[in-house]
Amino acid sequence: MSYSRGGRSDDRNRKETVKTPQQEWQEFLGELGKRKPQPPKIYSDLLKDSQLVEIDRMSITIFFPDEKISGLAKSQSQKIINLLPSNLNRGKIICGVLGTEPPQELPPASIPQKRITEMIVKSPLQELNFACFGQDKNGKDLSQPVLKRAADAEKKCAKLYERLTEKTRLLAGNPDYLLTIKFPWRMRVGGTRGFRELLLPALHTVYGIPYIPASSLKGIVRAWARKHHHELEADRLLGRLDQGLGTVQILDAFPTAPCLSVDVANPQWHWSKDAVNYKPEPHPLLTMERPELLIGLVLTSRGKNTEDIKIVKLWLKQALEGEGLGSRISAGYGKASLKPSLRYSCEHKFSLWTQGMYGVEPPSGENNYRGKAEFRPTSVRGILRYWFRAVALSLYTPDVCKSFEDELFGVLGKQGKIAINVDFNSTTVNEPYHYTGTICLESTEQECLDLVSSLLTLASHLGGVGRGSRRPLHKLNGRMRGTHWVVDEDCCLEYESLKWRQLLKTVTDCFLAKKQSANRYTVSPGQPGKRRQDVLDQNTQILLLQSTDQIIPEAVNWATQGNKNNVRGTALTFLYSSEQYKGQTKDRQGNVFGNPKVGGALETPSYVWIKSIFPRANDPYQVVTIFGADYEDRKVFTDALKSNGAIKVWPFPNL
């Protein structure tokens, strides 16, 4: 404590900084080389690249760059303890290696087991505070395991959620003053800037668990009231800075049960100057998965009428269902229902059979790990954005295309003119995974709604959505591949070139109705290793090929028929019939097969899309879209399809 000359506390000019254990560790390392007398150099060499991971009353956990240094530090642990300052000194050092999980240490037998259990229960905020981010010695990102440990810690907080739920009930004092609201997918409410400037969820500073601050709830209620011309009434109910307290107080809202989950944002196509290049960049993040919130309301000292609470409760419910809560609402996060909030809207029923959509845990070949499949509304937005660019880059310059895309889909910090929300159901069947539901498209303008609606029809007729979207559903080497996506089943096009050309013209007309262009452009999709955005230009061909004996996916016995030609369809069977046509693949022995100039190299999107259409059970056909069909290897494939009866519907004359 500092004092003024008069003997009084003078805290006004004094600012205290609370340091994290990691900051204290870095200070210790910096001071180690300045000590008099100098400690042996071996200790400064051992510790110079170390990171503090965790500290409690009994031990301190330090990670080192590799196993060798970690082992040497462990052998010298007592001498290292003797060097530590009092704020870091513990009776034991636990040594680990960067990029790995912390070592599991057995508790001393002298400490009762119940006490140990209470000690090891940590909140997500504690896990993040004591975490080391960045990269390990092999350049592997450390953020995902850190976020997973935070989510795992939250799963142990069920009792805390129960107590906070009960506390909210007691504070509200009346069941009519409570609002329970469920979110069907994920929600992101930002709190603080974290590593890589990623917005971490709002974590309560006392309890350390995710929550929705009362200020956020109050903000969306006020925004809803302003939008629906109730601003003066909102000022009376909620108060204003220049007018004082309102009559109703909204309490901080907590989930009723653990719901923190690691999610991923994975943009795959990126603008680079005048081109859109393929480069997947997954970014893990924390979200609340399918949370249920209990929101309490109480009268303030100014509040006399319980009707005021009923009004605010109704507004809050309407705001959460219509406007949503948190960030990325236009991409499907934070909406409690499909109720449209923009002026123009339409709904489309869909069914999807898929090899599996995946977030942060995709399947891998290691130990036959299947990953964690989930329907992701963001995939619908992503596929519409892909087909938007495919059309727009054939009509406009790259600069115009990019500004048009930002206007429609939005950019960071600015909402676009459209929003895409999905209500979905899943079945217990996982081979293939099956989802049904409704896609709700919204827009501030009718022309924009017409454009995105036409894109949805086009996307569902040319391919699928999510993982495997470029191939019809089938089995290959014993594994499920591809998707079958049906939107507005009654609107599936017949095997008829005129109707297909009308669809393609409708899509183009919707773009030109919003933004005129007198020119047409051609854009190369690039080569393996330099893959660029696919464009529906004059070098792209769309072909229809009858597949008369093909079985519709819901009628397939996937255990016995999945790899049969009448499941794959005529076009896919033809693609697989020659090494010259099919994409590059690798067998389990590591042998590489296929032609990367036609089907695409390993981990590179194929240049060929194939979609199965079943307008009637006895009249199926397949649509084949070939980007860069003027390229010699793809031209051979295109000509071979035509010689087998395929008809061309794009490009059509006078384009």
Side-chain angles (χ1 to χ4, degrees):
M1 180 72 69
S2 60
Y3 294 89
S4 66
R5 290 184 180 178
R8 295 177 303 168
S9 174
D10 189 18
D11 289 336
R12 289 172 299 178
N13 299 320
R14 176 177 161 270
K15 187 176 180 181
E16 233 178 63
T17 302
V18 178
K19 297 175 184 176
T20 66
Q22 284 78 10
Q23 290 172 326
E24 292 178 342
W25 180 258
Q26 292 303 317
E27 284 188 4
F28 158 66
L29 294 181
E31 293 170 357
L32 190 61
K34 303 174 183 177
R35 286 190 180 181
K36 302 293 183 182
Q38 276 281 306
K41 190 172 181 298
I42 181 175
Y43 300 115
S44 57
D45 289 343
L46 276 176
L47 298 172
K48 65 178 180 180
D49 294 320
S50 63
Q51 292 188 28
L52 185 148
V53 174
E54 189 172 10
I55 186 169
D56 58 30
R57 289 178 296 174
M58 299 175 59
S59 64
I60 181 169
T61 302
I62 307 299
F63 273 14
F64 297 88
D66 56 44
E67 289 281 0
K68 183 179 179 181
I69 298 176
S70 177
L72 186 56
K74 188 173 182 179
S75 68
Q76 300 291 319
S77 60
Q78 188 55 54
K79 294 183 178 178
I80 293 175
I81 289 173
N82 295 336
L83 294 173
L84 296 178
S86 60
N87 58 326
L88 296 172
N89 199 304
R90 299 295 185 270
K92 185 175 185 180
I93 288 183
I94 300 172
C95 301
V97 179
L98 289 172
T100 65
E101 292 288 332
Q104 297 297 312
E105 297 286 329
L106 294 176
S110 60
I111 300 179
Q113 187 59 44
K114 182 179 179 181
R115 183 180 168 194
I116 290 295
T117 304
E118 291 173 351
M119 284 169 50
I120 64 175
V121 174
K122 298 183 177 68
S123 72
L125 184 58
Q126 286 174 300
E127 285 291 344
L128 291 170
N129 279 343
F130 288 98
C132 53
F133 298 106
Q135 296 180 335
D136 64 13
K137 61 177 182 177
N138 297 317
K140 183 179 178 181
D141 185 60
L142 293 174
S143 58
Q144 185 171 324
V146 168
L147 296 182
K148 187 176 186 306
R149 289 200 296 273
D152 289 343
E154 191 246 2
K155 290 179 175 62
K156 301 173 184 177
C157 298
K159 286 291 184 184
L160 177 57
Y161 282 114
E162 290 178 14
R163 292 174 184 174
L164 289 170
T165 297
E166 184 60 26
K167 180 181 178 181
T168 301
R169 295 184 190 280
L170 291 172
L171 287 172
N174 187 326
D176 292 338
Y177 301 168
L178 296 167
L179 174 63
T180 301
I181 197 107
K182 297 180 180 180
F183 294 82
W185 190 46
R186 294 179 181 270
M187 181 170 65
R188 294 179 60 195
V189 177
T192 57
R193 289 285 173 184
F195 59 98
R196 291 186 174 177
E197 290 301 299
L198 197 64
L199 198 62
L200 294 171
L203 297 171
H204 199 278
T205 54
V206 175
Y207 305 117
I209 57 175
Y211 80 117
I212 311 301
S215 57
S216 297
L217 296 171
K218 185 176 178 179
I220 67 166
V221 172
R222 190 179 292 282
W224 189 93
R226 186 182 300 115
K227 182 176 180 180
H228 293 83
H229 312 293
H230 301 307
E231 189 168 3
L232 291 177
E233 180 71 349
D235 291 344
R236 182 183 73 81
L237 296 171
L238 302 174
R240 266 181 49 168
L241 188 62
D242 58 346
Q243 294 180 7
L245 191 68
T247 64
V248 177
Q249 178 183 357
I250 303 174
L251 305 177
D252 288 340
F254 293 91
T256 58
C259 59
L260 201 59
S261 172
V262 184
D263 191 17
V264 65
N266 188 17
Q268 300 188 22
W269 300 91
H270 304 268
W271 279 99
S272 177
K273 295 183 180 179
D274 61 347
V276 185
N277 296 323
Y278 179 72
K279 184 182 179 184
E281 293 184 351
H283 301 291
L285 58 142
L286 286 171
T287 62
M288 286 186 272
E289 184 175 5
R290 298 188 178 184
E292 178 184 85
L293 299 179
L294 182 67
I295 306 171
L297 300 95
V298 295
L299 289 173
T300 68
S301 57
R302 282 192 175 183
K304 305 299 181 184
N305 190 348
T306 57
E307 288 298 315
D308 288 352
I309 287 186
K310 293 180 181 179
I311 295 171
V312 175
K313 180 179 175 180
L314 177 62
W315 287 359
L316 183 57
K317 184 175 186 294
Q318 291 172 329
L320 290 172
E321 290 181 344
E323 306 290 339
L325 174 65
S327 61
R328 299 194 72 191
I329 293 172
S330 62
Y333 289 78
K335 285 283 288 238
S337 79
L338 275 188
K339 289 183 179 179
S341 60
L342 302 181
R343 183 175 181 183
Y344 303 97
S345 64
C346 59
E347 293 185 353
H348 303 266
K349 299 291 184 182
F350 77 92
S351 292
L352 174 67
W353 291 262
T354 170
Q355 69 181 71
M357 286 184 175
Y358 296 90
V360 78
E361 296 183 20
S364 70
E366 298 177 11
N367 302 318
N368 294 317
Y369 177 65
R370 298 184 64 86
K372 181 183 178 182
E374 62 169 325
F375 183 86
R376 299 184 61 79
T378 49
S379 295
V380 177
R381 182 182 179 86
I383 202 67
L384 290 178
R385 200 160 192 159
Y386 166 87
W387 287 109
F388 170 87
R389 291 167 173 169
V391 177
L393 282 168
S394 71
L395 299 174
Y396 314 107
T397 64
D399 286 343
V400 172
C401 177
K402 188 175 186 307
S403 64
F404 192 6
E405 179 184 348
D406 293 345
E407 175 189 351
L408 204 64
F409 291 92
V411 292
L412 188 63
K414 182 180 179 181
Q415 186 173 345
K417 291 185 176 180
I418 64 167
I420 303 160
N421 297 294
V422 185
D423 185 23
F424 61 93
N425 301 297
S426 57
T427 65
T428 56
V429 179
N430 60 13
E431 190 147 293
Y433 295 93
H434 182 212
Y435 305 94
T436 59
T438 303
I439 299 169
C440 180
L441 304 177
E442 303 175 59
S443 181
T444 56
E445 299 176 11
Q446 184 64 53
E447 287 180 340
C448 293
L449 182 65
D450 293 340
L451 190 157
V452 74
S453 296
S454 70
L455 279 177
L456 179 62
T457 302
L458 179 70
S460 62
H461 276 78
L462 293 184
V465 60
R467 199 177 181 95
S469 58
R470 295 171 185 250
R471 296 290 179 262
L473 199 62
H474 66 289
K475 274 196 168 182
L476 180 65
N477 299 327
R479 295 182 179 179
M480 193 66 67
R481 290 288 183 270
T483 67
H484 183 64
W485 188 32
V486 179
V487 177
D488 296 330
E489 187 173 6
D490 295 339
C491 298
C492 285
L493 293 184
E494 303 284 341
Y495 181 77
E496 215 268 32
S497 60
L498 180 60
K499 291 183 178 179
W500 267 91
R501 290 179 178 179
Q502 288 174 340
L503 168 63
L504 291 161
K505 185 176 185 302
T506 297
V507 174
T508 303
D509 289 347
C510 286
F511 274 78
L512 297 178
K514 180 62 182 170
K515 197 173 294 290
Q516 283 294 320
S517 173
N519 299 313
R520 292 293 186 272
Y521 300 92
T522 57
V523 181
S524 169
Q527 300 302 322
K530 296 181 179 180
R531 191 72 164 85
R532 291 189 170 182
Q533 167 76 48
D534 305 315
V535 179
L536 279 172
D537 57 19
Q538 294 192 59
N539 291 331
T540 294
Q541 294 210 21
I542 300 177
L543 309 172
L544 310 183
L545 185 63
Q546 287 184 311
S547 189
T548 52
D549 64 342
Q550 189 172 354
I551 307 174
I552 198 165
E554 56 259 50
V556 174
N557 182 330
W558 291 100
T560 60
Q561 298 177 301
N563 61 349
K564 304 297 184 183
N565 289 343
N566 60 354
V567 171
R568 292 176 175 175
T570 306
L572 185 61
T573 298
F574 188 73
L575 183 76
Y576 284 168
S577 67
S578 169
E579 293 291 323
Q580 187 180 9
Y581 302 150
K582 64 183 178 183
Q584 194 175 85
T585 58
K586 184 187 295 184
D587 64 17
R588 295 181 180 179
Q589 287 72 44
N591 301 310
V592 178
F593 304 93
N595 184 353
K597 298 177 182 178
V598 177
L602 293 169
E603 299 181 355
T604 300
S606 174
Y607 301 91
V608 177
W609 288 70
I610 302 177
K611 173 64 187 287
S612 298
I613 305 287
F614 298 90
R616 296 190 303 272
N618 60 349
D619 191 21
Y621 65 99
Q622 291 191 308
V623 187
V624 186
T625 307
I626 307 166
F627 291 102
D630 57 320
Y631 185 81
E632 53 182 341
D633 291 60
R634 284 166 237 150
K635 187 176 185 304
V636 172
F637 176 66
T638 305
D639 293 342
L641 284 173
K642 291 177 180 177
S643 67
N644 279 270
I647 59 173
K648 183 178 75 172
V649 295
W650 177 277
F652 43 82
N654 302 320
L655 178 63

